[in-house]
Amino acid sequence: MLEQKSPRSKYRLKRQSLPEALADSLRERILNGEFKEGEPLVQEAIAAEYECSRMPVREAFRQLEAAGLIVSKIHKGAVVTTLPSEQIMELFELRAMLECDILTYALSRMTDHHLDMSEQVLEQLEDAYHKRDIAKVGALNWEFHRSLYVPAHRIQTLALIQGINVQTDRYIRLQLLLTSAFEEAEQDHRQILKLCRSHDPSVVEFMRGHIIRAGHNLLDALSTRKTSGTAA
Amino acid sequence: MLEQKSPRSKYRLKRQSLPEALADSLRERILNGEFKEGEPLVQEAIAAEYECSRMPVREAFRQLEAAGLIVSKIHKGAVVTTLPSEQIMELFELRAMLECDILTYALSRMTDHHLDMSEQVLEQLEDAYHKRDIAKVGALNWEFHRSLYVPAHRIQTLALIQGINVQTDRYIRLQLLLTSAFEEAEQDHRQILKLCRSHDPSVVEFMRGHIIRAGHNLLDALSTRKTSGTAA
DNA sequence: GAGATATACACTGGATCCAATCTACATAAG
DNA sequence: CTTATGTAGATTGGATCCAGTGTATATCTC
């Protein structure tokens, strides 16, 4: 818990405030489904768990609220956000639009170095997938997409996409538990990388399909879960 | 300062925590240029101004940071974000893409009621513009755009667009001080409303031009300011 | 016994206090 | 005179404490 991430310099020391570290950890736990939709997050309980006061917890909550992962009502506390299925699909549609846009920018600027990096991430992703390490798959899935977009140098767009991916990650990880539809996504990823290597503009539309299909697959999985098993 | 906003019910009482109210007020002050780019925000000073402790200020800062208006480094405090001009233009391009998308959804669902509401906002906007009330123009400009998008029922998209508009608002208000390019925007707004009334799909492309032009006009204004007057 | 009122407990909101870190200035060494 | 070191003041980070609100249970009235 509370590990630091993405060290730029080789000897980078802990440079993160407690609230940020807490937010990172809590975000991860929400995405992993440890805190389920609608579940209340009690300041005191979290504080006790991390052996700190409620103060940094409150600041972390503000961050998570801004990211759309929780909502907090005054004097009533925070609960994990619940999204209706239309809004989940809307998130995937937003991703499709924004990621296709940024990929168009990125495509002409990708170097072999970039592509090798992406391939490396993809290999890790495939490895994690075969080991059924859900959390790692979720994180690496985004990391792979992200690696393709970096060459675009579209800072604001990338930040926006990252925010949306945090939200969809939650459902992607859920889907990994429910279905085996991710097999298909795996093949997509290889194809995407291949098209990128040849700088083929058709990759943009392929990416759109990849994202939209993921959304539909997920919604199918969610609806069948709801109709069939109403497990607590 | 710290007034409540958007009362849905007629007798809505204060239902906002201090940090939220603070964030609203500080956001407004940043957008109005009272706190300039790169200017540090000192917790104690703000707390003294609002006659509260530093605690709610810190939580408000977290919100503003998530909105991209400030950045805070550990043990070094918060400063108002400075964006390079490419990123400002990128924000306008994002707006163009997202707002055109949502407008397409909204167009077929707009009722006369919706359109009348929009017209009402537009009249207030024109009024504020003629009175040179910069803050009001900024707020109402977004409110007009927003009113056109509400019928689309695209909650996530609208939230995203709102976030970007908060950022561009800052520069729009700056532009109002620097240039008279907003005249043109005023005419655009009337034209947009007219096209919406006839549910003419060409309004989407018109909107795109409206937003992109606004971005270019702004960058022109900013660059001439930088090259000519290097006023403190 | 059902509904309204009162009260106790749990939790959040905010203030004050202490510790840790940064910055700036002063001082000393080369 | 320049650079390095040390120290004091300012400012942020985090903990503890108190107050206010919400909820649930118990009590009272009809």
Side-chain angles (χ1 to χ4, degrees):
Chain A
M1 298 280 171
L2 298 186
E3 305 137 44
Q4 309 307 311
K5 61 171 188 178
S6 70
R8 303 278 161 83
S9 156
K10 195 169 181 182
Y11 296 108
R12 188 156 198 79
L13 300 177
K14 168 191 162 103
R15 288 274 74 186
Q16 201 179 23
S17 66
L18 230 168
E20 286 171 55
L22 270 171
D24 285 348
S25 176
L26 291 173
R27 175 169 37 246
E28 198 57 28
R29 292 174 73 180
I30 292 174
L31 295 182
N32 281 335
E34 187 178 338
F35 299 118
K36 296 183 185 64
E37 295 195 341
E39 185 171 336
L41 295 184
V42 183
Q43 293 178 10
E44 233 165 312
I46 308 280
E49 229 180 328
Y50 289 93
E51 294 178 323
C52 66
S53 80
R54 281 169 36 229
M55 201 65 44
V57 176
R58 274 160 66 174
E59 290 189 40
F61 278 13
R62 291 269 167 212
Q63 283 188 242
L64 296 177
E65 185 169 21
L69 289 177
I70 68 177
V71 287
S72 60
K73 280 186 184 171
I74 184 164
H75 282 297
K76 287 192 68 178
V79 297
V80 179
T81 317
T82 309
L83 287 186
S85 56
E86 319 96 60
Q87 287 189 37
I88 296 176
M89 196 57 216
E90 195 187 336
L91 287 174
F92 278 91
E93 286 165 4
L94 281 169
R95 276 189 53 192
M97 179 166 45
L98 291 165
E99 295 191 27
C100 286
D101 177 66
I102 201 171
L103 183 57
T104 307
Y105 281 94
L107 199 58
S108 58
R109 295 165 204 263
M110 281 179 190
T111 64
D112 286 343
H113 178 64
H114 287 127
L115 289 160
D116 291 343
M117 299 264 284
S118 296
E119 181 148 18
Q120 213 176 310
V121 175
L122 186 51
E123 275 160 15
Q124 291 177 47
L125 170 57
E126 286 166 347
D127 184 56
Y129 179 59
H130 293 134
K131 287 177 181 161
R132 292 292 184 275
D133 185 341
I134 308 283
K136 225 171 192 172
V137 170
L140 286 168
N141 182 57
W142 159 239
E143 191 53 37
F144 173 66
H145 279 250
R146 189 186 122 85
S147 72
L148 296 175
Y149 309 147
V150 167
H153 284 299
R154 301 277 287 181
I155 316 278
Q156 297 290 330
T157 308
L158 192 55
L160 220 57
I161 294 172
Q162 170 141 19
I164 304 173
N165 266 274
V166 164
Q167 298 231 57
T168 56
D169 242 33
R170 201 160 117 202
Y171 301 104
I172 289 176
R173 295 187 191 189
L174 187 59
Q175 185 184 19
L176 285 169
L177 287 169
L178 297 175
T179 73
S180 54
F182 204 75
E183 297 280 2
E184 170 186 326
E186 285 290 282
Q187 291 170 14
D188 282 0
H189 285 152
R190 276 286 161 197
Q191 178 69 9
I192 285 167
L193 189 60
K194 190 176 150 197
L195 290 171
C196 280
R197 280 213 184 273
S198 52
H199 297 272
D200 184 340
S202 75
V203 70
V204 175
E205 283 313 307
F206 190 87
M207 175 69 85
R208 193 185 309 278
H210 167 65
I211 295 171
I212 294 295
R213 268 199 306 282
H216 283 140
N217 284 338
L218 172 63
L219 287 193
D220 285 351
L222 284 178
S223 66
T224 55
R225 183 186 62 149
K226 266 182 188 160
T227 53
S228 64
T230 331
Chain B
M1 298 280 172
L2 296 187
E3 306 136 43
Q4 308 307 312
K5 62 171 191 180
S6 71
R8 302 278 160 83
S9 154
K10 197 170 180 181
Y11 296 107
R12 188 155 197 82
L13 301 178
K14 170 189 160 103
R15 287 276 75 188
Q16 202 180 21
S17 67
L18 229 168
E20 287 172 55
L22 270 171
D24 285 348
S25 176
L26 290 174
R27 176 167 36 244
E28 197 57 29
R29 293 174 71 180
I30 292 173
L31 295 183
N32 281 333
E34 188 178 337
F35 299 118
K36 296 183 185 63
E37 294 194 342
E39 186 172 333
L41 295 184
V42 182
Q43 292 178 10
E44 224 162 330
I46 308 281
E49 233 182 325
Y50 290 93
E51 293 178 325
C52 65
S53 80
R54 279 168 37 225
M55 203 65 43
V57 176
R58 274 160 65 173
E59 289 189 41
F61 279 13
R62 291 270 168 212
Q63 283 187 243
L64 296 177
E65 185 169 22
L69 289 177
I70 68 177
V71 288
S72 60
K73 281 187 183 167
I74 186 167
H75 282 297
K76 286 192 66 178
V79 295
V80 178
T81 316
T82 309
L83 287 187
S85 56
E86 319 96 60
Q87 287 190 36
I88 296 176
M89 197 58 216
E90 195 187 336
L91 286 174
F92 277 92
E93 286 165 4
L94 281 170
R95 277 189 54 192
M97 178 166 46
L98 291 166
E99 295 191 26
C100 287
D101 178 67
I102 202 172
L103 184 57
T104 306
Y105 281 95
L107 199 58
S108 58
R109 294 165 205 261
M110 281 180 192
T111 64
D112 285 343
H113 178 66
H114 286 127
L115 290 160
D116 291 344
M117 300 264 285
S118 297
E119 181 147 19
Q120 214 176 309
V121 175
L122 186 50
E123 277 160 13
Q124 289 177 47
L125 171 56
E126 288 167 345
D127 184 55
Y129 180 58
H130 293 134
K131 287 178 181 161
R132 291 291 184 277
D133 185 340
I134 309 282
K136 224 172 194 171
V137 169
L140 286 168
N141 181 57
W142 160 240
E143 190 55 37
F144 173 67
H145 278 250
R146 191 186 121 85
S147 72
L148 295 175
Y149 309 146
V150 167
H153 285 299
R154 301 278 287 184
I155 314 281
Q156 297 289 332
T157 309
L158 192 54
L160 219 58
I161 294 173
Q162 171 141 18
I164 304 173
N165 266 274
V166 164
Q167 297 230 59
T168 56
D169 242 34
R170 204 160 116 201
Y171 300 104
I172 289 176
R173 296 187 192 189
L174 188 57
Q175 184 183 21
L176 284 168
L177 287 169
L178 297 175
T179 72
S180 55
F182 205 74
E183 297 282 0
E184 172 186 325
E186 284 290 280
Q187 291 171 14
D188 283 359
H189 285 152
R190 276 286 160 196
Q191 178 68 8
I192 285 168
L193 189 61
K194 190 177 151 195
L195 290 171
C196 282
R197 281 216 183 270
S198 52
H199 296 272
D200 183 340
S202 74
V203 71
V204 175
E205 283 313 307
F206 190 86
M207 176 68 85
R208 193 185 308 279
H210 168 66
I211 295 171
I212 295 295
R213 266 199 308 281
H216 283 141
N217 284 338
L218 171 63
L219 288 193
D220 286 350
L222 285 178
S223 66
T224 55
R225 184 186 63 147
K226 266 180 189 162
T227 51
S228 63
T230 330

